[in-house]
Amino acid sequence: MNLSQSHPDISPEEYLESEKSSPIKHEYIQGQIYAMAGASDAHVTITANLVTLLRNHIRGTGCRVYVADMKARIEHLNIFYYPDIMVTCDQRDTNFEYFKCYPSIIIEVTSPSTEALDRGDKFSDYQELQTLQEYVLVSQNRQRVDCFRRNTAGRWELYSYRENQELQFTAINFSCSLTDVYEDVSVPKTFNPNSAELL
């Protein structure tokens, strides 16, 4: 995500209007716009796998799944992000054509260049969404998914999933194998120091 110098300080309304015709997607943080980088083969494949699984699961429930091009608005922070995947089950979101305000789940597929931001500032900002129940980070470099789940006390608990485990999103009663998430994705082998072999 790189700062665009073409619009040093613009309003949310100006941002939304300009984004409709922009050939490059931008995220918006308190008057500043940031150009979005392209994605790798692994990133796109993981995203497509998850969207397919989620769409099949929520069909007919009233929930909707959005991928990449739909913005999440954090209104009181004056921020618009483009999550890789977002699921909303709140009927209020049908009123917004170019962004959603009430997601239940947000998923980001991480890379070495984005993981710190996704785990840090973005997660902190997303926590301000009162309807958000699960924030999910999916590694594209190894079979690992970290799901941060809001408990009944409002605190975020980490649930980590590894190779061949069953991934669960309790917000929509969804589960699938990590093998399905990483279908057609080549991930580096991991080293087991106990056996001195590649896994």
Side-chain angles (χ1 to χ4, degrees):
M1 189 166 69
N2 298 313
L3 180 64
S4 172
Q5 299 299 324
S6 57
H7 300 285
D9 195 359
I10 66 173
S11 70
E13 294 75 20
E14 290 171 322
Y15 161 73
L16 288 170
E17 190 60 35
S18 66
E19 201 69 357
K20 292 178 186 177
S21 58
S22 174
I24 301 171
K25 292 190 304 183
H26 301 84
E27 293 188 319
Y28 176 90
I29 303 175
Q30 300 170 347
Q32 300 290 310
I33 60 173
Y34 297 82
M36 302 294 293
S40 68
D41 182 289
H43 186 289
V44 173
T45 303
I46 291 167
T47 302
N49 289 343
L50 273 168
V51 167
T52 300
L53 292 163
L54 289 168
R55 175 63 184 141
N56 288 335
H57 176 72
I58 66 174
R59 183 176 281 113
T61 66
C63 296
R64 298 284 300 275
V65 59
Y66 296 96
V67 56
D69 290 331
M70 180 57 71
K71 293 176 281 293
R73 182 177 193 179
I74 311 169
E75 187 169 5
H76 78 279
L77 294 182
N78 197 22
I79 287 174
F80 291 88
Y81 286 132
Y82 279 102
D84 289 318
I85 302 172
M86 176 170 48
V87 177
T88 177
C89 301
D90 195 306
Q91 289 303 302
R92 290 175 291 179
D93 271 334
T94 61
N95 297 319
F96 310 119
E97 187 173 0
Y98 295 102
F99 58 85
K100 304 300 169 187
C101 296
Y102 306 105
S104 298
I105 302 172
I106 286 177
I107 302 172
E108 298 284 8
V109 180
T110 68
S111 68
S113 63
T114 67
E115 186 161 5
L117 177 64
D118 291 335
R119 288 185 181 275
D121 289 346
K122 271 195 175 181
F123 183 27
S124 178
D125 294 338
Y126 282 140
Q127 289 179 50
E128 299 301 315
L129 295 167
Q130 295 302 307
T131 57
L132 189 67
Q133 298 176 52
E134 289 170 305
Y135 179 62
V136 184
L137 298 175
V138 184
S139 173
Q140 62 176 291
N141 301 310
R142 54 181 170 165
Q143 287 197 18
R144 173 179 171 173
V145 177
D146 287 342
C147 177
F148 295 89
R149 189 170 296 142
R150 197 193 303 256
N151 65 22
T152 54
R155 292 188 172 88
W156 292 89
E157 297 176 342
L158 172 61
Y159 296 82
S160 290
Y161 303 91
R162 301 295 187 271
E163 296 179 12
N164 302 318
Q165 290 185 324
E166 193 84 357
L167 173 63
Q168 295 183 334
F169 300 153
T170 60
I172 55 172
N173 194 28
F174 169 84
S175 65
C176 74
S177 168
L178 247 64
T179 303
D180 294 333
V181 174
Y182 287 91
E183 183 179 359
D184 296 327
V185 177
S186 296
V187 293
K189 297 293 185 180
T190 56
F191 182 74
N192 183 344
N194 296 323
S195 66
E197 294 179 355
L198 288 176
L199 299 179

